[in-house]
Amino acid sequence: MRKYILPVVAMVSLSAPARAQKENFVSLAPGTSEQQIIQKAANIVPTARQLRWQQLELTAFFHFGINTFTGKEWGDGKEDPALFNPTALDAVQWVKTMKDAGFKQVIITAKHHDGFCLWPTKTTDHSIKSSPWKSGKGDVVKEVAAACKKLGMGFGVYLSPWDRNASVYGTDAYNEFFVKQLTELLTWYGKVDEVWFDGANGEGPNGKKQVYDFNRWYKLIRKLQPQAVIAIMGPDVRWVGTESGKGRRTEWSVVPTNNLDQDQIAAGSQQGMLFKPQSDMTGSDLGGRDRIATAKGLVWYPAETDVSIRPGWFYHADQDEKVKTPKELMQIYFTSVGMNSVLLLNVPPDKRGLINESDVRTLQQWSRMRKELFKTNLLAGAAITCNNGVNTAALLDGKDATYFTTRGGDTATTLVFKLKQPRTFNAFSIQEDIRIGQRVEQFSVYYKQDGAWKPFVQETTIGYKRLLHFDPVTANEIKIEIESSRLNPTIASAGLYFYEW
């Protein structure tokens, strides 16, 4: 649905710390050994804004605008604003639908590529103030922001850099035009928790393409909404690389950055974070040892996995019977949140201005499935043994800010869980405490049958959360082996669960 220009991260040169420090970035001086690089990578951590974002797990996208009424996915900027006229718009219904489904934050498409603005901007008449909805006095962004505040949900805005309506697109004046639009969104509606840019960069009405002044935009966001994460074409969160809802098996939040000759951007942002279109952040392993061995810098730059609940990103009536099933959404949950990512699920309001009944129904059923699945951790009450472990109780205390680790410099360990009775399970969950860093490179999980250990999970990274689904297993002894870790592993939780999908 979106045309992406993929980012590369750039860093200013910093003096190497004399000891391990908890930063979200680090530069690597020439001659830094592989062992030193691994140690530094293991000590990189998220910023406060990145940690909050990761803990959301589920964020909703509301694609809504003139395309909703034309039936298009990408408008051409020539649409008549009179077409925009929802008959029953209810932003509280949108936000409550997502909250009831377990979501913690929503993002509204304040302006898509067609340039039509869902707020009464002072920059253009191509907006809802030229529509018949509420006699031109309406403000969709305001209503969504108010609904989020009322229901205790995070609020984010998507503002398309590509504008197929603005006559100044493709000139220096457009960056000023865009800054005015961004300023309105960041100052008119209270707290903004996420600002979402894609990399679409086509031609404007004059046939020209725009050179985007991303660095100026980042500085403005840091100044006006310093707690907001800047996502996809931004320094805080990157695109996972597909719109399938499936992340990568090996997902490192710590990735290399190799351009150290750029100026530092806004204070409080990641140091010198810039973007270049030739970057490729879509490989199968972005942060493995071979990838970071030649890095000039390392940065905490986690992935967001976006997908639509429908085949399209905007509402189309002929897709009411093509909404993803609860089972499909559960699979996506395991391949997004369960692969060290945050799921951004698009749920587009219909022409009435409501989340359609088809979408509401599948969201409700999916929410019930997740609650039922994770209701009981079958490892609870198990006796845990570990020869080199510290604080094994943290694994089952239900808190992600406490963690099990190992003594001394041990980077491998074995944990044996003995249940009070045999239990049947088909899902496994494990988390690292990413406040300490992301460290585990390889782990396996076994069950004991007839005196022999048999593997049922053999995986690579963990990160914030790893979820695995498999054929049912029945056992009363489970073994987790951390086979490789960059420094002492810091495991926040482990769980076994059962649910018939």
Side-chain angles (χ1 to χ4, degrees):
M1 171 267 173
R2 286 177 294 279
K3 177 182 177 183
Y4 285 96
I5 296 177
L6 299 172
V8 65
V9 186
M11 307 281 295
V12 294
S13 180
L14 300 173
S15 59
R19 58 183 177 82
Q21 296 182 6
K22 296 299 182 183
E23 302 282 358
N24 77 323
F25 63 89
V26 66
S27 65
L28 300 172
T32 304
S33 69
E34 181 178 351
Q35 182 180 1
Q36 289 174 320
I37 291 173
I38 296 300
Q39 289 176 339
K40 290 177 184 293
N43 282 294
I44 293 175
V45 297
T47 62
R49 67 175 74 91
Q50 288 174 317
L51 178 62
R52 175 199 169 272
W53 170 87
Q54 189 88 54
Q55 291 172 328
L56 294 172
E57 295 195 2
L58 298 173
T59 302
F61 224 155
F62 294 141
H63 273 64
F64 186 67
I66 200 73
N67 291 344
T68 308
F69 299 88
T70 63
K72 297 179 180 179
E73 284 291 303
W74 283 14
D76 60 15
K78 299 176 183 178
E79 296 83 3
D80 184 349
L83 295 172
F84 185 87
N85 194 20
T87 56
L89 192 146
D90 185 352
V92 171
Q93 187 256 1
W94 302 4
V95 177
K96 187 175 187 301
T97 295
M98 302 318 300
K99 181 175 182 176
D100 289 347
F103 285 68
K104 304 294 179 60
Q105 185 163 293
V106 305
I107 300 172
I108 177 68
T109 54
K111 181 188 78 170
H112 205 255
H113 309 328
D114 48 72
F116 184 80
C117 298
L118 292 184
W119 78 103
T121 177
K122 297 177 182 178
T123 63
T124 178
D125 290 332
H126 196 57
S127 75
I128 58 171
K129 67 185 180 184
S130 300
S131 78
W133 182 61
K134 293 192 174 182
S135 302
K137 304 296 182 182
D139 187 337
V140 176
V141 176
K142 181 178 180 179
E143 294 197 18
V144 174
C148 288
K149 184 175 182 179
K150 176 180 179 180
L151 296 172
M153 292 277 278
F155 169 67
V157 293
Y158 162 99
L159 186 65
S160 172
W162 186 21
D163 192 318
R164 304 183 74 181
N165 176 268
S167 60
V168 294
Y169 187 86
T171 71
D172 290 341
Y174 179 73
N175 283 315
E176 188 67 34
F177 174 93
F178 192 87
V179 162
K180 290 179 180 178
Q181 291 190 335
L182 187 57
T183 300
E184 290 174 350
L185 292 172
L186 299 179
T187 58
W188 290 7
Y189 303 108
K191 184 180 179 184
V192 176
D193 297 291
E194 184 166 347
V195 180
W196 210 98
F197 297 130
D198 65 24
N201 188 355
E203 295 180 353
N206 55 14
K208 297 181 179 179
K209 290 187 177 182
Q210 182 69 35
V211 177
Y212 299 140
D213 193 355
F214 279 114
N215 289 327
R216 183 181 178 190
W217 305 348
Y218 302 158
K219 290 178 183 178
L220 181 69
I221 297 166
R222 294 302 195 217
K223 176 183 177 182
L224 299 178
Q225 296 283 350
Q227 78 293 324
V229 295
I230 309 173
I232 305 306
M233 292 298 290
D236 297 316
V237 175
R238 61 181 160 84
W239 183 42
V240 78
T242 74
E243 294 179 345
S244 65
K246 185 175 182 179
R248 52 180 62 78
R249 180 185 179 191
T250 300
E251 185 61 78
W252 287 103
S253 294
V254 177
V255 296
T257 139
N258 287 321
N259 296 289
L260 303 181
D261 57 348
Q262 308 291 346
D263 293 332
Q264 180 178 343
I265 61 168
S269 69
Q270 293 188 2
Q271 301 282 336
M273 184 73 78
L274 303 176
F275 298 99
K276 292 181 182 291
Q278 69 270 25
S279 170
D280 180 8
M281 297 293 285
T282 59
S284 61
D285 181 352
L286 304 182
R289 292 193 179 215
D290 59 333
R291 294 297 299 268
I292 66 175
T294 58
K296 296 180 181 179
L298 300 170
V299 66
W300 188 277
Y301 196 30
E304 182 175 74
T305 302
D306 61 332
V307 68
S308 184
I309 198 170
R310 292 165 168 259
W313 287 78
F314 285 89
Y315 176 81
H316 308 288
D318 62 359
Q319 295 180 359
D320 284 350
E321 302 304 318
K322 299 178 181 179
V323 175
K324 288 181 173 59
T325 65
K327 182 177 179 179
E328 288 174 319
L329 291 180
M330 182 67 92
Q331 291 169 335
I332 286 171
Y333 182 75
F334 269 68
T335 60
S336 56
V337 175
M339 287 184 170
N340 189 35
S341 182
V342 166
L343 173 59
L344 177 60
L345 180 68
N346 178 61
V347 182
D350 62 23
K351 289 185 177 181
R352 299 171 300 172
L354 298 173
I355 304 299
N356 191 265
E357 291 81 358
S358 298
D359 306 67
V360 172
R361 184 165 51 250
T362 200
L363 287 166
Q364 290 175 340
Q365 293 172 356
W366 175 46
S367 177
R368 287 195 292 269
M369 286 176 66
R370 295 199 322 276
K371 289 176 182 177
E372 185 65 25
L373 171 59
F374 296 110
K375 179 173 64 176
T376 303
N377 183 352
L378 301 177
L379 285 181
I384 307 173
T385 57
C386 179
N387 291 335
N388 61 348
V390 178
N391 197 21
T392 56
L395 294 165
L396 301 176
D397 67 3
K399 302 174 183 177
D400 68 359
T402 60
Y403 60 89
F404 157 86
T405 190
T406 53
R407 297 187 183 92
D410 290 352
T411 58
T413 191
T414 298
L415 290 146
V416 176
F417 297 77
K418 189 166 185 178
L419 284 63
K420 295 179 180 178
Q421 61 189 47
R423 304 300 297 264
T424 300
F425 47 89
N426 61 359
F428 173 76
S429 171
I430 191 167
Q431 292 185 258
E432 289 181 79
D433 183 356
I434 61 173
R435 297 170 184 82
I436 309 300
Q438 184 184 0
R439 300 182 172 187
V440 175
E441 297 173 303
Q442 186 172 329
F443 73 100
S444 298
V445 190
Y446 302 78
Y447 68 97
K448 185 175 266 190
Q449 184 179 70
D450 300 327
W453 289 108
K454 298 186 177 183
F456 62 93
V457 167
Q458 293 179 302
E459 284 298 340
T460 58
T461 51
I462 297 174
Y464 170 74
K465 181 172 285 187
R466 194 67 193 265
L467 297 171
L468 287 308
H469 181 250
F470 39 83
D471 292 335
V473 171
T474 301
N476 72 332
E477 283 193 74
I478 306 299
K479 179 174 68 173
I480 300 175
E481 287 192 354
I482 305 298
E483 295 153 343
S484 178
S485 181
R486 291 181 169 177
L487 285 178
N488 301 67
T490 56
I491 309 300
S493 71
L496 290 176
Y497 305 93
F498 179 76
Y499 182 76
E500 294 187 23
W501 290 19

